[in-house]
Amino acid sequence: MKEGKFPLVLLFSFLLSACSSSFAYNNIDWLMYWYVDDYVDLSPSQKDMLDERVALWQDWHRSIELQKYQDQLKNLKIKLDSGPLNQDQWLREFDEAQEHLNRFRTKIAPELAEVAQQLSLEQIEGALSALDKKRQESLIKFEKQTVAERLKRREERLSEPVEDNMGKLSQLQTDIIKKYAHQFIPTFSERTAYQRTLQNAAKDIFANRNAPEFKQQLVSLIGDPDHYKTSEYEATLAYNTRLYAKMLAELNLTFTQEQKLRLDAKLDEWVDLIEELISG
């Protein structure tokens, strides 16, 4: 988890950033290839196999999952209209949103493992090398930043999603965010170590790709990557998430009528967007 960027921030960051229009959602296959191309060059037969799986995943997601997203947004709107949410209420919203992601992982893991089985040793090594390069680039960028610059960026990451949904922040609200920004525990080092652990686990699994347990190990890696997080990293993430929920609860008490109306309209937009996605 990046500093100031929490799991499913404001509940649906994946949906709203990666699929912010019906065009993007309905063309997720080529958008995915645009991303995957940075790591591995798929053969025509591999692309055909992945195309088939993506189409099935999207049908499942459109027919079953999107309605659950929409229901949560509608319920959230009702709760907010009834009054400010406290820390525990925000945490329950986060937990429900996390369940959406967990279901998605569980759904795609077996079939994605089948696709991964078709990758050659050269493709695997190339993908792992590309991941190493990107991680090294991130490390260099991180080390060039001063502590003050990192804090400023954290404040921005905390402010941006709130301001996008609430409109211009008051000085009080800005001060609240700055106050909490100082309290978050940085996770860059732990996250980098976690990514390295995942990569090494994948490397070990593919090194024994002829073993009977190969597919199940790969399914476990894809479906439950959190298993590879250390207890210390899990504790840090839990602390930061609780702190983020506490910050939202405090901010929630300061919303002006104009901000409430803007958030209400934003929730309606998301509900309408999901309805459009469900309709195809």
Side-chain angles (χ1 to χ4, degrees):
M1 181 192 305
K2 291 184 178 180
E3 298 169 31
K5 185 175 181 181
F6 300 90
L8 305 174
V9 168
L10 294 185
L11 314 178
F12 299 95
S13 61
F14 172 77
L15 175 66
L16 299 175
S17 62
C19 303
S20 57
S21 70
S22 58
F23 176 81
Y25 186 87
N26 293 329
N27 292 277
I28 196 66
D29 51 353
W30 66 260
L31 289 174
M32 179 186 63
Y33 285 133
W34 176 78
Y35 176 79
V36 170
D37 192 54
D38 284 345
Y39 300 96
V40 60
D41 184 18
L42 298 176
S43 69
S45 62
Q46 289 168 337
K47 286 184 178 181
D48 288 343
M49 185 178 186
L50 188 55
D51 280 341
E52 182 181 334
R53 297 300 191 278
V54 170
L56 292 173
W57 297 336
Q58 190 176 50
D59 286 344
W60 163 79
H61 194 262
R62 191 192 302 274
S63 62
I64 297 176
E65 290 299 294
L66 286 179
Q67 184 63 58
K68 295 174 182 176
Y69 295 2
Q70 190 180 62
D71 289 344
Q72 186 179 358
L73 284 170
K74 288 179 178 179
N75 289 332
L76 176 61
K77 185 173 183 288
I78 292 171
K79 293 172 187 175
L80 287 169
D81 286 343
S82 299
L85 272 62
N86 61 34
Q87 181 185 23
D88 287 340
Q89 288 174 305
W90 279 114
L91 285 172
R92 284 195 290 273
E93 294 298 323
F94 294 160
D95 287 343
E96 185 175 348
Q98 182 65 40
E99 289 173 6
H100 302 323
L101 177 59
N102 293 342
R103 286 193 306 272
F104 182 75
R105 286 175 176 170
T106 300
K107 173 66 176 179
I108 73 169
E111 294 176 350
L112 189 56
E114 289 183 7
V115 175
Q117 280 182 288
Q118 306 306 312
L119 297 176
S120 67
L121 180 59
E122 182 181 8
Q123 287 174 311
I124 294 298
E125 290 177 345
L128 294 177
S129 177
L131 286 169
D132 271 334
K133 181 180 179 181
K134 284 188 176 292
R135 188 168 58 241
Q136 187 61 31
E137 290 172 350
S138 295
L139 178 60
I140 293 172
K141 181 178 179 181
F142 177 78
E143 290 179 338
K144 286 182 178 179
Q145 296 175 333
T146 65
V147 173
E149 288 172 337
R150 293 170 191 166
L151 177 60
K152 181 174 177 57
R153 182 57 186 139
R154 187 185 307 144
E155 292 173 356
E156 291 171 350
R157 285 175 173 158
L158 289 169
S159 299
E160 287 166 0
V162 179
E163 197 159 15
D164 286 345
N165 295 293
M166 308 300 305
K168 184 175 176 58
L169 303 181
S170 67
Q171 186 59 53
L172 172 61
Q173 291 165 339
T174 299
D175 290 342
I176 289 173
I177 290 174
K178 287 184 177 180
K179 177 184 70 174
Y180 279 94
H182 286 272
Q183 300 178 49
F184 287 106
I185 300 175
T187 60
F188 181 87
S189 296
E190 290 177 294
R191 185 175 70 254
T192 300
Y194 164 63
Q195 292 170 343
R196 188 181 299 111
T197 298
L198 278 180
Q199 185 172 331
N200 289 336
K203 188 181 299 184
D204 290 342
I205 291 171
F206 276 97
N208 298 283
R209 62 190 306 161
N210 294 322
E213 62 273 18
F214 170 76
K215 183 179 177 181
Q216 186 52 50
Q217 289 177 337
L218 197 55
V219 169
S220 297
L221 178 69
I222 297 169
D224 186 22
D226 293 343
H227 172 75
Y228 293 86
K229 292 176 180 175
T230 65
S231 57
E232 293 80 9
Y233 187 30
E234 289 274 21
T236 298
L237 294 178
Y239 167 83
N240 283 346
T241 301
R242 289 194 300 272
L243 190 63
Y244 185 72
K246 185 177 180 181
M247 184 192 77
L248 283 183
E250 187 169 340
L251 284 171
N252 208 163
L253 294 170
T254 69
F255 290 170
T256 65
Q257 185 61 27
E258 183 179 356
Q259 288 174 326
K260 291 176 183 178
L261 291 173
R262 182 183 173 94
L263 178 57
D264 201 59
K266 182 67 70 172
L267 289 169
D268 283 337
E269 286 180 20
W270 293 349
V271 168
D272 291 343
L273 167 62
I274 293 176
E275 189 63 40
E276 183 180 352
L277 298 178
I278 291 174
S279 301

